[in-house]
């Protein structure tokens, strides 16, 4: 394709993303479902070129920022608290699913060697960070379940990639060593973590010295690709390096970023992540045509592959449920023996955790890297695509309903020591102490009376609010509704003055920014 045609195709794809997101919003569907089905439908429109994804480019383009985004906002306290459960899912569940799928594949297709069956298992075993994010953004879960799903999705790709590489090597050469695989995984994980720490520390040093808002935002945006590429260049895990870097950046951004950088950077980052995340699902759907053509058409898929593929999908789902409930039973047993204080998840949380194993870009990307001489390659490609379709379209659309049916919403079982109201009262008290120390001059004369009155009133109101949130709820909403009405009136007058040429553009932009910040503050307080 001509470069101009490629650019036009990218613009058309971005416009399609907006349209499909709008349709999903109107129909109440998860956006990932609309994008995946829309991309699949667009792939077969006459005149459109076949989308051939370069798997290495897909991984390096999309995976680092999406992993960084998940790690940036992941609570380190929750990560430490639930690290055993995350490792169990990110490593144990992936290995167990690979083994179960390999056994089922060999029973259904005995002509495939065991190594090739293991390749199938490694392809479909790791749940996807992008798919998990797309679903978790739309549901409310207890913090323990949410942290387990988010943490698993960030780290399990590394396990899946190691299993895949060794399984492919065994399928091609006929040789496999468990000791070598374990050693390789340890080197990749530890090396990736060290690279992540180094890049994170470098980011902290750079951000402290840049001193320019736009440079800080640009440097932070590029950090995810820097960590991933640096780790892959050193032949260690780029996934773990990116996640560790994201955890460090997320921890230090609260003290390194000014309010201006945080507002601007977050707005830019959220739009970029939205476009990248949506593009992933649209590209996955668009690649369906190429996969179908590669294996010989729909007839071949339906007649020869449908039953084995459905068996693979079922085995993958059963394996995840099996691991979740077996792990929970083991945790309960250890608790009765007095070897752990962690409580089991329980049946309801286990059901949600088992049903939330959506697959996505990682499954398709590693499937597309399969060498031509791997036995059963065409079947593996179809199985990978089927797993993505079923998990996103079926599990992704029903997860919210399952959570509501089970009554498993966000709970207070792991609530922090202070509520929002208590934290606000503590901040107001600290602000008042700072104002009181500086409200008087050296002679003891009050020089900031209005400021002192304002912060005294704020501290008093915040203290009275604690424990009486319901009592003040209606009045606070009415208060901030009136603030928003006043802001809207000021904005209308500002526009009138500009249109009447009584103020110039600089004045318009300066005052408009003040109104925008005031409106954001009011909306945040109301929420």
């Amino acid at each position: 394709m001509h470069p101009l045609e490629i650019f036009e195709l990218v613009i058309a794809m971005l416009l399609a993303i907006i349209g499909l997101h709008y349709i999903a919003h109107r129909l109440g569907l998860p956006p990932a479902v609309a994008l995946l089905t829309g991309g699949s439908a667009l792939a077969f429109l006459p005149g459109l070129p076949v989308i051939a994804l370069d798997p290495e480019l897909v991984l390096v383009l999309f995976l680092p920022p999406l992993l960084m985004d998940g790690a940036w906002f992941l609570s380190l306290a929750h990560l430490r608290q639930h690290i055993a459960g995350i490792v169990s899912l990110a490593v144990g569940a992936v290995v167990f699913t690979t083994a179960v799928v390999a056994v089922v594949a060999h029973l259904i297709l005995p002509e495939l060697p065991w190594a090739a069956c293991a390749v199938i298992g490694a392809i479909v075993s790791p749940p996807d960070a992008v798919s998990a994010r797309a679903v978790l953004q739309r549901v409310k879960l207890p913090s323990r379940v949410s942290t387990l799903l988010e943490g698993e999705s960030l780290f399990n790709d590394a396990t899946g990639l190691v299993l895949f590489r060794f399984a492919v090597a065994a399928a091609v050469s006929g040789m496999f060593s468990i000791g070598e695989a374990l050693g390789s995984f340890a080197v990749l994980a530890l090396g990736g973590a060290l690279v992540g720490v180094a890049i994170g520390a470098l980011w902290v040093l750079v951000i402290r010295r840049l001193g320019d808002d736009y440079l800080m935002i640009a440097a932070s945006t590029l950090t995810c690709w820097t960590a991933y590429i640096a780790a892959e260049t050193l032949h260690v895990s780029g996934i773990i390096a990116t996640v560790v870097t994201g955890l460090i950046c997320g921890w230090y951004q609260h003290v390194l970023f000014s309010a201006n950088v945080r507002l601007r950077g977050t707005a830019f980052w959220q739009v970029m992540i939205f476009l990248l995340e949506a593009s992933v699902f649209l590209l996955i759907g668009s690649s369906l045509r190429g996969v179908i053509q590669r294996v010989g058409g729909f007839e071949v898929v339906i007649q020869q592959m449908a039953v084995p593929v459905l068996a693979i999908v079922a085995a993958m789902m059963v394996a995840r449920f099996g691991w979740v409930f077996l792990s929970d039973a083991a945790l309960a047993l250890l608790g009765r023996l007095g070897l752990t204080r962690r409580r089991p998840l329980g049946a309801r949380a286990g059901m949600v955790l088992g049903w939330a194993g959506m697959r996505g870009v990682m499954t398709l990307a590693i499937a597309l890297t399969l060498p031509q001489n791997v036995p059963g390659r065409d079947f593996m490609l179809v199985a990978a695509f089927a797993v993505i379709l079923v998990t996103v379209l079926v599990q992704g659309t029903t997860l919210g309903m399952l959570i509501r049916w089970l009554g498993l919403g966000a709970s207070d079982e792991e609530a922090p020591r202070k509520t929002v109201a208590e934290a606000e009262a503590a901040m107001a008290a600290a602000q008042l102490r700072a104002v009181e120390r500086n409200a008087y001059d050296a002679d003891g004369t009050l020089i900031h009376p209005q400021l002192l009155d304002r912060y005294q009133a704020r501290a008093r109101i915040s203290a009275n609010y604690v424990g009486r949130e319901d009592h003040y709820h209606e009045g606070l909403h009415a208060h901030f509704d009136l603030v928003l009405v006043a802001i809207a009136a000021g904005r209308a007058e500002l526009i009138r003055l500009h249109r009447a040429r009584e103020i110039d553009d600089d004045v318009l932009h300066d005052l408009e920014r003040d109104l925008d910040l005031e409106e954001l503050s009011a909306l945040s307080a109301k929420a």
Side-chain angles (χ1 to χ4, degrees):
M1 293 180 65
H2 190 275
L4 181 58
E5 294 176 328
I6 296 176
F7 177 74
E8 292 171 347
L9 187 62
V10 170
I11 296 300
M13 182 186 72
L14 296 177
L15 292 174
I17 286 172
I18 296 173
L20 290 170
H21 254 271
Y22 175 76
I23 293 172
H25 176 71
R26 294 301 300 266
L27 298 179
L29 294 173
V33 173
L35 291 164
L36 199 58
T37 54
S40 301
L42 291 173
F44 291 94
L45 288 178
L48 285 182
V50 176
I51 302 296
L53 298 180
D54 184 314
E56 297 295 335
L57 178 60
V58 168
L59 288 180
V60 76
L61 178 61
F62 293 104
L63 201 56
L66 297 173
L67 288 172
M68 173 73 86
D69 186 62
W72 189 288
F73 297 104
L74 183 65
S75 167
L76 275 176
H78 287 164
L79 180 65
R80 288 193 297 266
Q81 185 179 5
H82 303 298
I83 189 63
I86 291 172
V87 171
S88 171
L89 290 170
V91 179
V94 173
V95 174
F96 182 73
T97 302
T98 300
V100 171
V101 171
V103 171
V104 171
H106 194 68
L107 290 175
I108 297 173
L109 302 169
E111 66 275 11
L112 281 182
W114 275 105
C117 296
V119 172
I120 300 174
I123 290 173
V124 304
S125 60
D128 185 61
V130 183
S131 299
R133 278 173 43 84
V135 174
L136 289 174
Q137 288 173 348
R138 299 174 56 85
V139 298
K140 295 292 185 182
L141 288 171
S143 62
R144 183 181 180 185
V145 178
S146 180
T147 301
L148 287 174
L149 287 172
E150 291 175 4
E152 174 200 15
S153 68
L154 292 176
F155 291 103
N156 59 14
D157 290 339
T159 308
L161 276 176
V162 171
L163 290 173
F164 172 77
R165 289 169 181 171
F166 274 90
V168 168
V172 173
S173 65
M175 299 177 62
F176 177 74
S177 169
I178 294 180
E180 187 179 351
L182 292 175
S184 176
F185 179 77
V187 171
L188 287 172
L190 181 59
L194 291 175
V195 171
V197 170
I199 299 298
L202 180 63
W203 175 83
V204 171
L205 293 174
V206 169
I207 293 300
R208 280 176 173 166
R209 286 163 173 77
L210 283 179
D212 180 89
D213 291 359
Y214 296 108
L215 291 178
M216 294 169 76
I217 294 170
S220 300
T221 302
L222 297 174
T223 300
C224 59
W225 285 292
T226 303
Y228 186 89
I229 294 172
E232 291 295 319
T233 302
L234 296 173
H235 304 293
V236 294
S237 176
I239 293 170
I240 292 179
T242 306
V243 171
V244 171
T245 301
L247 292 171
I248 293 173
C249 295
W251 178 264
Y252 281 98
Q253 58 100 3
H254 303 291
V255 295
L256 293 177
F257 284 169
S258 65
N260 205 30
V261 171
R262 191 173 295 108
L263 287 172
R264 289 177 173 177
T266 300
F268 168 77
W269 182 261
Q270 287 176 340
V271 172
M272 185 186 76
I273 292 297
F274 163 76
L275 292 175
L276 289 175
E277 191 175 85
S279 299
V280 166
F281 289 108
L282 191 66
L283 286 172
I284 290 175
S286 301
S287 65
L288 174 62
R289 179 179 171 186
V291 172
I292 296 299
Q293 289 180 352
R294 191 179 294 116
V295 301
F298 280 108
E299 291 185 2
V300 174
V301 172
I302 295 173
Q303 295 175 4
Q304 301 178 16
M305 301 182 182
V307 174
V309 165
L310 290 176
I312 296 297
V313 174
M316 177 200 69
M317 291 182 173
V318 171
R320 180 172 178 85
F321 275 104
W323 181 266
V324 169
F325 282 101
L326 285 173
S327 300
D328 214 37
L331 188 61
L333 178 60
L334 292 173
R336 284 195 293 270
L337 295 175
L339 299 177
T340 181
R341 295 182 180 180
R342 297 296 299 166
R343 293 180 295 103
L345 285 167
R348 293 186 304 163
M351 285 290 294
V352 171
L353 204 60
W355 194 243
M358 286 71 65
R359 272 60 173 178
V361 61
M362 178 59 70
T363 292
L364 183 62
I366 62 177
L368 292 173
T369 63
L370 283 165
Q372 295 290 338
N373 58 343
V374 172
R377 183 178 186 273
D378 289 346
F379 174 75
M380 294 175 188
L381 288 172
V382 174
F385 209 97
V387 162
I388 296 170
L389 286 176
V390 171
T391 56
V392 173
L393 298 183
V394 177
Q395 293 175 293
T397 55
T398 57
L399 182 60
M401 290 184 287
L402 178 66
I403 293 170
R404 290 190 293 271
W405 180 66
L406 293 172
L408 189 73
S411 67
D412 296 328
E413 60 181 20
E414 299 175 19
R417 289 188 292 270
K418 287 189 181 294
T419 64
V420 172
E422 289 170 337
E424 286 180 338
M427 288 194 303
Q431 290 173 325
L432 175 59
R433 290 193 296 270
V435 171
E436 286 175 336
R437 286 195 301 267
N438 297 278
Y440 301 86
D441 63 13
D443 299 329
T445 304
L446 180 62
I447 56 175
H448 298 295
Q450 293 181 342
L451 202 59
L452 183 60
D453 288 343
R454 187 204 311 177
Y455 278 93
Q456 285 175 337
R458 180 181 296 180
R460 183 175 62 254
I461 292 170
S462 297
N464 292 336
Y465 182 66
V466 175
R468 306 177 65 192
E469 290 86 348
D470 292 338
H471 175 75
Y472 287 104
H473 184 74
E474 185 175 347
L476 281 173
H477 269 257
H479 170 84
F480 287 110
D481 283 338
L482 183 55
V483 171
L484 292 171
V485 169
I487 292 170
R491 194 183 302 279
E493 177 62 14
L494 182 64
I495 297 299
R496 187 196 68 78
L497 292 172
H498 180 260
R499 298 298 185 261
R501 298 186 179 181
E502 296 182 38
I503 58 173
D504 61 18
D505 286 0
D506 290 337
V507 174
L508 170 68
H509 294 316
D510 287 343
L511 294 180
E512 186 178 48
R513 182 176 181 274
D514 292 342
L515 287 173
D516 289 342
L517 292 174
E518 190 177 353
E519 182 176 343
L520 287 174
S521 177
L523 290 171
S524 176
K526 182 180 176 181

